[in-house]
């Protein structure tokens, strides 16, 4: 083998394009054939009249997908053949489904599998499973769109985001217009493509090796053939028992109760035909998995003594099969395109299945529960619209997945195990335990999801070690390249090498101070006081027995704590960590946001606040139903919930990471403590506890910033010296009035953009609306808002000053350039630990300030999410619940959302990027359309509900396109320089070989 491997040629692109073209044509055909997708029965279930053969092929293709095409060969290559036992688990799962679960769905003639849960238990069980399934499928679709595109981009050079968009848009198109028939027939076509790709790789690979028997022998020599591991130890990665038992449960869920598969065999119309489809599907699964395993073994035998992963030819194991096919078929134009088509066929089949099933559960489990009298024609159009929107959302999630890391196969199996197990459990409870009731079912699935997520997340944070058979490069052939290498002829010299450690004029030595016992005590006291405030308000006043008290503090709060809470709830750890870093890197233009807050506050107090008080609402979204309809209300609710969940995950994880890497404070310990303390006092103490803990935490943040500024300026020689040093470093800039919108920060971009962003935050965002509604009267709410704006300006100014102080302190010896910190978000934590090394407790005070910001944001989010869930969702479905029951539901929702926020913080841990950038981008992408929707209702009396709903949808698509595009292809911005020229160095002794005489020209191996 010689390097480089083959390239992706024009013929390959033609083959690849033909696969997409045929899929589109199938969709167009079924859009105009038959009943032309005019009923939900045809769109979602293919008129319940499908032939078992395409259904069987679709059952195989929809969950085999790109995960198998990329992941399974890599599994064989790295670990060997134990994974092959999954084929047996498919058989067991298929027999179980055909005998026990399938007859139940046909007996009730269901469309959504979740309908059974309402018939057996209640609506709550049905809704719980709906939400869990939707979460699972959205994440899964994001993975299967992005992962193959990334693997093929890095190996073949095919455009990453071009292929992501092509996959997502083509799939969305044919699923939306062609319905279930298009999905089934494209799956059948894509199944043939996948089989062709695997067969081509196996046949050509074995031909080159000398036959399949030679391939098998080489794999045996490499310790890759292992089937008979019956060790009962569950900690071993793969044994017969873990795969067959675990795989049977995993695939039992997939084929028994997962909507994507249930919907397929329901489309057959009769139980007998569905059972035939399922049996054919299981045979197809065994065949495809066996071919995937054989291609992995062929790949191992081919590279047995010259591993491309060890050589760095590929960066992850998921890329191996793509690299192998490109290498194998370098002299066969079109065959690399065939295998690439096989990979993307897997992605298309999975995503189309997901979109159609999500459209089914949304219309059957949600839309029909809320709008009971919709016509069949209207329901069909809603189903198509939902499929379209979910397709675009899946493309957005593929961008989110692009920020993560990890193996495709590991992530997907973990995801299905964590969510699939509890879902199979609740269906099994209903089907096989006649004495089970609805309370046990709902508590069981919630407890099960909590338990499996704890296990799944823990296994990824603290992964066990597993034996890997060896990989080697001993058999590689090398092209010898000439290089000069200095050799030692005689002697060595001891010399000193500079190690930077003594920074700007402050005589500090390296390393910086440590987080001591006193600091932990201060940090613990902050958490303890927050808990005590929650306990006090759980037993004071009305003891949180009504939703008015729990969600709105009895509408009788003093403006002072409300103002402090308005400031802290969205300032948070984002400001504490991000704003000083912004000042340090870019300078003072960001400071203009203070003016944007003032303008936004005046606008909200004059135009928006009076409307909410006039209608005496609890949820801001109630206004949208009064002005437009339920669809507008639910659209705003879902968008807000998505925004808040992601935001809470960021503000829990980000400060913990920054402080862990600088202070050494335990990462996941601090994440769990922050999350659990916040959940505790929010759940038991309600809005009153949230407001008063926010007030306390505001004082902590002020103290932290003041301590940093005072001590930093004292060491520098005063604030005037600090300011002068910043001017010299080009950090003082206020008067940039350039109208060019591509410049990162100018007066206009900050004032205009910041005003709109903060109008949404303080005008229509539930977390803030809920706060000033708790004042009871409009006059007190306005005072709270004006005082809150003043508090925000003070905190922003202190955060900016601390960033400038930090820059002046490190002006000529930048710790970021020296590698003392890895990201700018860690700078202020490093600076604080450095500054207060001789002041025990003060690092703990600043750490408390950071986590106070996190606590205030998360508690605000949990309380507001509880409010919108109970007011916008629960009351719409269960209209006759008592006040006491509603209060308990609100508390339970806050508790569950808190645990979900902890899970999201784990998801955030897989991402990369600046805290400030991510949070501002998120709020900009979502807040703009929300503000637009409310503004449409408030200021344009001729606007109607159709315009409102279509407006927010189009607005979200546009802003996400701009926001995601700006992160994928970020513009270049000017950064004032950072330097290490002024560092003092401690000279440490090191040995260095010196040239005494002579050099030798020698050859160094360049593998391949």
């Amino acid at each position: 083998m010689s390097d480089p491997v083959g390239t992706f040629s024009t013929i390959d692109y033609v083959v690849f394009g033909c696969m997409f073209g045929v899929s589109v044509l199938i969709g167009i055909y079924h859009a105009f054939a038959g009943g032309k997708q005019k009923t939900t029965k045809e769109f979602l279930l293919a008129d319940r009249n499908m032939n078992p053969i395409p259904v069987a092929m679709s059952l195989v293709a929809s969950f085999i997908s790109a995960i198998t095409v990329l992941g399974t060969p890599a599994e064989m290559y790295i670990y060997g053949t134990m994974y092959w036992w999954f084929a047996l688990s498919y058989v067991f799962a298929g027999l179980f489904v055909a005998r026990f679960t399938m007859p139940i769905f046909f007996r009730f003639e269901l469309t959504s599998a979740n309908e059974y849960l309402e018939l057996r238990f209640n609506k709550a069980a049905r809704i719980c499973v709906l939400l869990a399934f939707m979460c699972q499928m959205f994440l899964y679709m994001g993975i299967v769109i992005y992962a193959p595109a990334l693997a093929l981009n890095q190996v073949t050079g095919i455009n990453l985001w071009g292929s992501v968009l092509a996959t997502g848009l083509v799939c969305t198109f044919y699923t939306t217009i062609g319905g279930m028939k298009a999905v089934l027939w494209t799956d059948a076509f894509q199944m043939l493509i996948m089989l062709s790709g695997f067969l081509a790789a196996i046949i050509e690979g074995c031909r080159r090796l000398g036959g399949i028997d030679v391939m098998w022998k080489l794999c045996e020599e490499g310790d890759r053939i292992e089937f008979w591991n019956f060790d009962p130890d569950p900690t071993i990665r793969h044994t017969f028992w873990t795969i067959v038992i675990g795989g049977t449960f995993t695939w039992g869920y997939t084929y028994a109760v997962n909507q994507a598969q249930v919907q397929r065999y329901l489309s057959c119309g009769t139980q007998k035909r569905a059972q035939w489809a399922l049996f054919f599907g299981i045979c197809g699964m065994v065949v495809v998995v066996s071919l995937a395993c054989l291609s992995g073994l062929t790949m191992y035998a081919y590279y047995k003594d010259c591993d491309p992963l060890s050589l760095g030819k590929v960066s992850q194991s998921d890329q191996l099969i793509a690299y192998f096919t490109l290498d194998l078929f370098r002299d066969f134009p079109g065959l690399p395109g065939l295998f690439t088509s096989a990979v993307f066929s897997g992605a298309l089949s999975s995503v189309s299945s997901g979109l159609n099933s999500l459209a089914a559960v949304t219309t059957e489990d949600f839309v029909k529960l809320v709008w009971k009298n919709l016509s069949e024609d209207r329901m069909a159009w809603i189903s198509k619209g939902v499929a379209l929107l979910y397709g675009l959302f899946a493309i957005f999630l593929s961008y989110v997945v692009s920020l993560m890391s990890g193996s495709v196969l590991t992530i997907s199996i973990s995801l299905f195990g964590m969510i699939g197990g509890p879902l199979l459990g609740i269906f099994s409870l209903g089907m096989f335990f006649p004495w089970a009731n609805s309370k046990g079912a709902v508590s069981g699935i919630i407890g099960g999801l909590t338990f499996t997520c704890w296990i799944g997340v823990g296994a990824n944070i603290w992964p066990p070690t597993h034996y890997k058979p060896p990989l080697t490069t001993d058999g590689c052939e090398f092209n010898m390249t000439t290089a000069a290498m200095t050799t030692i002829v005689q002697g060595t010299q001891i010399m000193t090498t500079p190690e930077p450690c003594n920074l700007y004029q402050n005589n500090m030595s390296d390393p910086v101070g440590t987080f001591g016992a006193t600091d932990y005590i201060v940090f613990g006291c902050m958490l303890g006081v927050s808990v005590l405030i929650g306990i006090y308000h759980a037993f004071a006043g009305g003891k949180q027995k009504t939703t008015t008290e729990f969600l709105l503090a009895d509408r009788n709060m003093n403006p002072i704590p409300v103002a402090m809470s308005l400031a802290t709830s969205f300032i948070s750890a984002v400001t504490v960590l991000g704003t000083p870093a912004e000042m340090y890197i870019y300078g003072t233009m960001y400071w203009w946001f203070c003016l944007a807050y003032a303008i936004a506050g005046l606008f909200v107090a004059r135009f928006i606040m009076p409307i909410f008080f006039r209608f005496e609402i609890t949820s801001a979204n109630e206004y949208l139903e009064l002005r437009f309809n339920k669809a507008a209300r639910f659209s705003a609710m879902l968008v807000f919930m998505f925004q808040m969940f992601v935001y809470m995950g960021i503000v829990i994880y980000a400060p913990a990471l920054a402080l862990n890497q600088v202070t050494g404070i335990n990462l996941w310990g601090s994440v769990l403590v922050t999350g659990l303390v916040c959940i505790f006092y929010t759940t038991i103490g309600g809005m009153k506890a949230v407001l008063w803990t926010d007030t306390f935490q505001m004082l902590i943040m002020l103290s932290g910033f003041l301590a940093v500024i005072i001590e930093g300026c004292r060491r520098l020689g005063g604030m005037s010296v600090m300011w002068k040093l910043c001017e010299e470093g080009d950090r003082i800039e206020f008067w940039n009035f350039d109208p060019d919108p591509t410049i990162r920060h100018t007066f206009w971009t900050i004032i205009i953009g910041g005003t709109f962003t903060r109008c949404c935050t303080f005008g229509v965002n539930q977390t803030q609306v809920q706060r000033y509604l708790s004042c009871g009267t409009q006059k007190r709410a306005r005072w709270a808002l004006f005082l809150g704006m003043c508090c925000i300006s003070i905190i922003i100014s202190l955060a900016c000053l601390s960033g400038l102080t930090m820059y002046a302190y490190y002006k000529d010896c930048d710790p970021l350039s020296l590698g003392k910190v890895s990201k700018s978000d860690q700078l202020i934590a490093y600076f604080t630990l450095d500054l207060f090394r001789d002041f025990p407790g003060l690092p703990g005070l600043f750490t408390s300030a950071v986590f106070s910001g996190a606590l205030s944001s998360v508690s605000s989010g949990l309380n507001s999410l509880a409010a919108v869930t109970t007011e916008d969702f629960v009351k719409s479905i269960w209209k006759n619940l008592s006040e006491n029951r509603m209060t308990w539901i609100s508390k339970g929702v806050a508790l569950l959302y808190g645990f979900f926020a902890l899970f999201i913080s784990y998801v955030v841990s897989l991402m990369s990027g600046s805290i400030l950038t991510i949070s501002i981008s998120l709020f900009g992408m979502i807040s703009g359309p929300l503000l637009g929707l409310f503004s449409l209702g408030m200021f344009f009396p001729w606007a109607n509900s159709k315009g409102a709903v279509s407006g927010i949808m189009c607005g979200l698509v546009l802003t996400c396109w701009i926001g995601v595009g700006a992160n994928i292809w970020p513009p270049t911005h000017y950064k004032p320089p950072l330097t290490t020229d002024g560092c003092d160095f401690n000279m440490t002794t090191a040995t260095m070989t010196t040239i005494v005489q002579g050099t030798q020209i020698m050859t160094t191996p360049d593998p391949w």
Side-chain angles (χ1 to χ4, degrees):
M1 294 176 290
S2 60
D3 195 56
V5 296
T7 58
F8 212 65
S9 66
T10 303
I11 298 176
D12 297 309
Y13 279 107
V14 171
V15 173
F16 185 41
C18 286
M19 183 273 295
F20 278 118
V22 171
S23 300
V24 168
L25 290 174
I26 292 172
I28 294 173
Y29 172 78
H30 287 289
F32 296 100
K36 300 182 180 179
Q37 312 300 322
K38 291 183 179 179
T39 66
T40 53
K41 183 180 177 182
E42 183 179 12
F43 184 75
L44 299 176
L45 291 172
D47 277 332
R48 295 184 187 266
N49 192 33
M50 279 300 296
N51 186 292
I53 300 301
V55 173
M57 297 179 77
S58 181
L59 286 170
V60 177
S62 57
F63 269 96
I64 287 293
S65 77
I67 302 301
T68 295
V69 181
L70 292 175
T72 304
E75 173 73 21
M76 294 294 110
Y77 186 93
I78 302 295
Y79 291 101
T81 56
M82 283 305 300
Y83 183 87
W84 211 331
W85 279 115
F86 266 108
L88 182 59
S89 71
Y90 300 150
V91 176
F92 290 156
L95 294 173
F96 173 81
V97 171
R99 177 65 182 86
F100 295 106
T101 64
M102 184 185 290
I104 294 174
F105 293 124
F106 274 97
R107 186 187 311 158
F108 293 108
E109 295 185 357
L110 307 177
T111 299
S112 164
N114 303 331
E115 291 178 68
Y116 167 77
L117 295 174
E118 183 175 356
L119 296 172
R120 174 64 179 85
F121 297 119
N122 58 13
K123 285 182 181 177
R126 182 177 182 177
I127 297 298
C128 286
V129 172
L130 165 69
L131 296 175
F133 171 74
M134 291 180 75
C135 176
Q136 179 190 49
M137 286 308 300
F138 278 130
L139 291 173
Y140 183 72
M141 288 193 300
I143 292 170
V144 298
I145 290 176
Y146 177 75
L150 176 65
L152 292 168
N153 161 260
Q154 294 183 338
V155 175
T156 68
I158 190 171
N159 186 273
L160 172 61
W161 291 105
S163 54
V164 166
L165 288 173
T167 304
L169 293 176
V170 165
C171 190
T172 301
F173 176 77
Y174 74 70
T175 304
T176 301
I177 68 168
M180 177 59 89
K181 289 180 181 177
V183 170
L184 293 173
W185 283 108
T186 51
D187 281 357
F189 165 68
Q190 291 153 6
M191 169 77 169
L192 297 176
I193 297 292
M194 284 191 275
L195 289 174
S196 302
F198 280 133
L199 285 170
I202 295 165
I203 292 169
E204 177 61 18
C206 289
R207 185 192 68 79
R208 292 200 184 188
L209 290 166
I212 199 167
D213 54 334
V214 176
M215 177 273 286
W216 195 268
K217 184 178 179 182
L218 289 169
C219 291
E220 285 181 332
E221 293 173 359
D223 201 19
R224 289 311 186 276
I225 308 300
E226 181 190 18
F227 288 105
W228 314 117
N229 187 340
F230 293 94
D231 195 320
D233 184 356
T235 64
I236 296 176
R237 186 176 184 273
H238 280 163
T239 70
F240 176 87
W241 307 111
T242 57
I243 290 178
V244 172
I245 296 174
T248 299
F249 278 101
T250 299
W251 291 100
Y253 156 71
T254 300
Y255 287 100
V257 299
N258 185 286
Q259 177 66 27
Q261 306 297 72
V262 170
Q263 205 170 327
R264 271 151 183 70
Y265 57 69
L266 288 176
S267 69
C268 292
T270 67
Q271 184 180 329
K272 183 177 181 180
R273 292 205 299 175
Q275 286 176 334
W276 276 111
L278 181 60
F279 292 146
F280 287 145
I282 297 304
C283 294
M285 289 272 287
V286 172
V287 170
V288 172
V289 166
S290 297
L291 291 177
C293 292
L294 283 171
S295 62
L297 293 177
T298 304
M299 177 169 63
Y300 172 76
Y302 194 77
Y303 292 133
K304 179 176 178 289
D305 296 319
C306 195
D307 170 42
L309 191 61
S310 302
L311 290 172
K313 299 296 180 182
V314 293
S315 58
Q316 291 186 348
S317 60
D318 301 325
Q319 301 164 12
L320 280 165
I321 188 66
Y323 180 87
F324 174 53
T325 53
L326 205 61
D327 184 11
L328 200 64
F329 300 129
R330 68 177 70 209
D331 299 322
F332 299 90
L335 285 182
L338 175 66
F339 190 83
T340 302
S341 299
V343 176
F344 281 98
S345 291
L348 287 170
S349 63
S350 296
V351 176
S352 62
S353 304
L355 294 180
N356 198 263
S357 60
L358 285 168
V361 296
T362 301
T363 53
E364 296 293 324
D365 298 338
F366 180 71
V367 175
K368 285 186 177 180
L369 289 179
V370 180
W371 294 275
K372 299 181 184 297
N373 300 315
L374 290 173
S375 66
E376 181 63 28
D377 183 63
R378 179 68 63 85
M379 283 300 300
W381 277 105
I382 289 173
S383 298
K384 293 177 181 180
V386 167
L388 174 64
L389 291 174
Y390 285 168
L392 297 176
F393 185 59
I395 295 173
F396 171 75
L397 286 179
S398 69
Y399 164 69
V400 176
V401 172
S402 74
L403 303 175
M404 300 181 183
S405 59
S407 164
V408 177
L409 196 65
T410 302
I411 290 174
S412 61
I413 290 178
S414 296
L415 179 67
F416 268 81
M418 286 189 283
I419 298 179
L423 294 189
L424 178 62
I426 191 172
F427 278 94
S428 301
L429 188 72
M431 293 175 179
F432 308 125
F433 298 89
W435 57 85
N437 60 23
S438 58
K439 291 181 180 178
V442 173
S443 59
I445 189 172
I446 291 171
L449 285 168
T450 303
F451 184 67
T452 54
C453 287
W454 171 54
I455 294 174
V457 172
N460 280 281
I461 294 173
W462 298 285
T465 55
H466 299 296
Y467 168 72
K468 288 184 180 180
L471 295 166
T472 181
T473 59
D474 292 345
C476 294
E477 297 176 5
F478 295 104
N479 294 328
M480 307 307 286
T481 60
T482 303
M485 179 178 178
T486 304
T487 58
I488 304 170
V489 179
Q490 60 178 25
T492 59
Q493 175 184 347
I494 304 299
M495 67 168 294
T496 56
T497 56
E499 180 183 347
C501 65
N502 201 7
L503 306 181
Y504 180 79
Q505 295 183 10
N506 44 33
N507 298 318
M508 66 182 185
S509 59
D510 199 60
V512 296
T514 58
F515 207 68
T518 308
D519 301 306
Y520 279 105
I521 292 172
V522 172
F523 181 42
C525 287
M526 182 275 293
L527 295 174
V529 171
S530 300
V531 168
L532 291 175
I533 292 172
I535 293 172
Y536 171 78
H537 287 289
F539 297 100
K543 299 181 180 179
Q544 311 300 323
K545 290 183 178 179
T546 66
T547 52
T548 303
E549 183 178 13
F550 183 75
L551 299 175
L552 290 173
D554 276 332
R555 296 184 186 265
N556 193 33
M557 279 300 295
N558 186 293
I560 302 298
V562 174
M564 305 277 270
S565 182
L566 284 170
T568 53
S569 57
F570 266 97
I571 289 295
S572 77
V574 172
T575 293
V576 181
L577 292 175
T579 303
E582 173 74 20
M583 295 294 109
Y584 186 92
I585 302 295
Y586 291 102
T588 55
M589 282 304 300
Y590 182 86
W591 212 330
W592 279 115
F593 266 108
C594 291
L595 181 57
Y597 292 136
I599 298 171
L602 293 171
F603 177 83
V604 169
R606 176 66 182 85
F607 296 105
I608 298 178
M609 186 184 290
I611 295 175
F612 292 130
F613 274 96
R614 186 188 312 157
F615 293 107
E616 294 185 0
I617 59 180
T618 299
S619 164
N621 302 328
E622 291 178 67
Y623 167 77
L624 295 174
E625 184 175 355
L626 296 172
R627 174 64 179 84
F628 296 119
N629 58 13
K630 283 184 179 179
R633 181 177 183 177
F634 281 121
S635 298
M637 178 193 74
L638 294 173
V639 170
F640 169 75
M641 292 179 73
F642 175 76
Q643 179 189 47
M644 287 309 301
F645 279 130
V646 177
Y647 183 73
M648 288 193 299
I650 292 171
V651 298
I652 290 175
Y653 177 76
L657 176 65
L659 293 168
N660 161 260
Q661 294 183 337
V662 176
T663 68
I665 190 170
N666 186 273
L667 172 60
W668 290 105
S670 55
V671 166
L672 288 173
V673 167
T674 304
L676 294 176
V677 165
C678 191
I679 293 167
F680 178 78
Y681 74 71
T682 303
T683 302
I684 69 167
M687 177 59 89
K688 290 180 181 177
V690 170
L691 293 173
W692 283 108
T693 50
D694 282 357
T695 302
F696 166 68
Q697 290 152 6
M698 170 78 164
L699 299 175
I700 296 292
M701 281 192 275
L702 289 172
S703 303
F705 279 132
L706 285 170
V708 168
I709 295 166
I710 292 169
E711 177 60 18
C713 288
R714 185 191 68 81
R715 292 202 185 188
L716 290 165
M719 184 168 283
S720 59
V721 176
M722 178 272 287
W723 195 267
K724 184 178 179 182
L725 289 169
C726 291
E727 285 181 331
E728 293 172 359
D730 201 17
R731 289 315 186 273
I732 307 301
E733 181 189 18
F734 289 105
W735 315 116
N736 187 340
F737 294 95
D738 195 320
D740 184 357
T742 63
I743 297 176
R744 187 175 185 273
H745 279 163
T746 69
F747 176 86
W748 307 112
T749 57
I750 291 178
I751 295 300
I752 297 173
T755 298
F756 277 102
T757 300
R758 293 310 166 187
C759 277
C760 180
T761 301
F762 294 102
V764 299
N765 187 288
Q766 177 65 27
T767 56
Q768 308 299 70
V769 171
Q770 207 170 325
R771 271 153 183 69
Y772 56 70
L773 288 176
S774 69
C775 291
T777 67
Q778 187 177 328
K779 183 178 179 181
R780 293 204 298 176
R782 279 179 170 168
W783 275 110
L785 183 58
F786 292 148
L787 290 172
M789 294 302 108
C790 294
C791 291
I792 290 174
S793 296
I794 291 170
I795 293 181
I796 288 287
S797 297
L798 292 177
C800 291
L801 284 171
S802 60
L804 293 176
T805 304
M806 177 169 63
Y807 173 77
Y809 195 77
Y810 294 134
K811 178 176 178 288
D812 295 319
C813 196
D814 170 42
L816 192 61
S817 302
L818 291 172
K820 301 295 182 182
V821 293
S822 57
K823 291 183 178 180
S824 60
D825 301 324
Q826 301 164 11
L827 279 165
I828 190 65
Y830 179 88
F831 176 48
T832 306
L833 207 61
D834 183 10
L835 200 63
F836 299 130
R837 67 176 66 214
D838 299 322
F839 299 90
L842 285 182
L845 175 66
F846 189 82
T847 301
S848 299
V850 175
F851 281 100
S852 290
L855 288 169
S856 64
S857 296
V858 175
S859 62
S860 304
L862 294 180
N863 198 264
S864 61
L865 285 168
V868 297
T869 301
T870 53
E871 296 293 324
D872 298 338
F873 182 71
V874 176
K875 285 185 177 180
S876 295
I877 297 176
W878 294 276
K879 300 181 185 296
N880 300 315
L881 290 173
S882 65
E883 181 64 23
N884 184 59
R885 178 68 64 86
M886 283 300 301
T887 305
W888 278 105
I889 289 174
S890 298
K891 293 179 179 180
V893 165
L895 177 67
L896 292 174
Y897 285 168
F899 285 114
F900 187 62
L902 287 174
F903 173 75
I904 295 296
S905 71
Y906 165 69
V907 176
V908 171
S909 74
L910 302 175
M911 300 180 182
S912 60
S914 164
I915 300 171
L916 198 63
T917 302
I918 291 174
S919 60
I920 290 178
S921 296
L922 177 68
F923 268 84
M925 285 189 280
I926 295 179
S927 298
L930 280 179
L931 180 61
L933 179 61
F934 278 93
S935 299
L936 190 71
M938 293 175 179
F939 308 124
F940 298 90
W942 56 85
N944 60 24
S945 57
K946 290 182 180 178
V949 174
S950 58
I952 189 173
M953 297 303 176
C954 293
L956 286 168
V957 171
L958 180 64
T959 55
C960 288
W961 171 55
I962 294 171
V964 172
N967 280 281
I968 295 173
W969 299 285
T972 55
H973 298 295
Y974 168 71
K975 288 184 181 180
L978 295 167
T979 181
T980 59
D981 292 344
C983 295
D984 293 334
F985 295 101
N986 290 331
M987 308 307 286
T988 59
T989 302
T991 59
M992 179 178 178
T993 304
T994 59
I995 304 169
V996 179
Q997 59 179 23
T999 59
Q1000 175 184 349
I1001 303 299
M1002 68 168 292
T1003 56
T1004 55
D1006 179 19
W1008 303 76

